[in-house]
Amino acid sequence: NQKILNDIFNNFHGFHNQLKNRHDKRPSFEIKDEYDVQDLLHSILKLHFKDVRAEEYTPSYGGSSTRMDFLLKNENLVIEVKKTIDNLTDKEIGAQLIFDVAHYRNHPNCDYLKCFVYDPDNRIKNPSGLESDLKRFHSIYIPGSSSNWLAM
């Protein structure tokens, strides 16, 4: 499963680029926001995993609950997706991921958390640094970072 996810995340940008170059000038699939990334990733995950649950709620933590992007139920693995945009800085992405981790730890089917940060425009100034700062909380993949995945 680790290899499958590594392959998906490592090749996601090339996959998206291929969708922009369609036969006979058909409309392309543009990624404008995080939901577009989630839609594409959801389809890819269904090719490899039987039970992919999108938008699963987490138990209440600190008086609120949240929804995880994907739960791979049989693998007890949660995938959180982020996409960089103009006003979403390294600091804000880090804060969002730390907040997400606190919620997901309480979910009975979350033994592992993988975070995929899609940064097609290279907005993250120091992907390896962000990854290193967050590694004590969870596994994270940021294209352009040195190690790609970190153990939980």
Side-chain angles (χ1 to χ4, degrees), residues 127-139:
S128 294
L130 178 61
E131 182 181 65
S132 179
D133 290 347
L134 296 171
K135 72 180 179 182
R136 61 191 159 133
F137 298 108
H138 50 74
S139 296

Side-chain angles (χ1 to χ4, degrees), residues 86-97:
D86 285 338
N87 59 352
L88 190 60
T89 65
D90 302 27
K91 180 179 176 182
E92 290 163 329
I93 288 174
Q96 286 181 12
L97 291 173

Side-chain angles (χ1 to χ4, degrees), residues 29-47:
F29 189 95
E30 293 296 323
I31 293 180
K32 296 177 183 159
D33 58 27
E34 190 171 298
Y35 293 108
D36 291 335
V37 176
Q38 289 175 13
D39 288 341
L40 289 174
L41 188 58
H42 195 186
S43 297
I44 297 168
L45 290 170
K46 285 186 163 273
L47 291 170

Side-chain angles (χ1 to χ4, degrees), residues 51-96:
D51 192 352
V52 179
R53 300 181 186 195
E55 301 290 318
E56 180 92 2
Y57 278 95
T58 64
S60 180
Y61 178 79
S64 68
S65 65
T66 186
R67 291 182 295 188
M68 54 186 73
D69 293 329
F70 299 104
L71 170 65
L72 305 182
K73 176 91 167 145
N74 296 332
E75 289 76 15
N76 287 335
L77 188 139
V78 171
I79 298 173
E80 179 62 25
V81 176
K82 301 289 180 196
K83 183 196 178 295
T84 57
I85 54 175
D86 285 338
N87 59 352
L88 190 60
T89 65
D90 302 27
K91 180 179 176 182
E92 290 163 329
I93 288 174
Q96 286 181 12

Side-chain angles (χ1 to χ4, degrees), residues 3-17 19 29 31 36-50 52 70 72 79 116 118:
K3 181 177 179 346
I4 292 170
L5 290 172
N6 282 342
D7 287 346
I8 290 170
F9 295 149
N10 285 331
N11 295 305
F12 188 85
H13 190 65
F15 167 78
H16 174 242
N17 282 337
L19 288 176
F29 189 95
I31 293 180
D36 291 335
V37 176
Q38 289 175 13
D39 288 341
L40 289 174
L41 188 58
H42 195 186
S43 297
I44 297 168
L45 290 170
K46 285 186 163 273
L47 291 170
H48 299 281
F49 301 96
K50 290 185 180 187
V52 179
F70 299 104
L72 305 182
I79 298 173
F116 175 57
Y118 187 53

Side-chain angles (χ1 to χ4, degrees), residues 11-27:
N11 295 305
F12 188 85
H13 190 65
F15 167 78
H16 174 242
N17 282 337
Q18 183 60 44
L19 288 176
K20 291 193 276 188
N21 299 306
R22 298 196 55 217
H23 178 75
D24 202 23
K25 298 185 183 188
R26 293 176 187 204

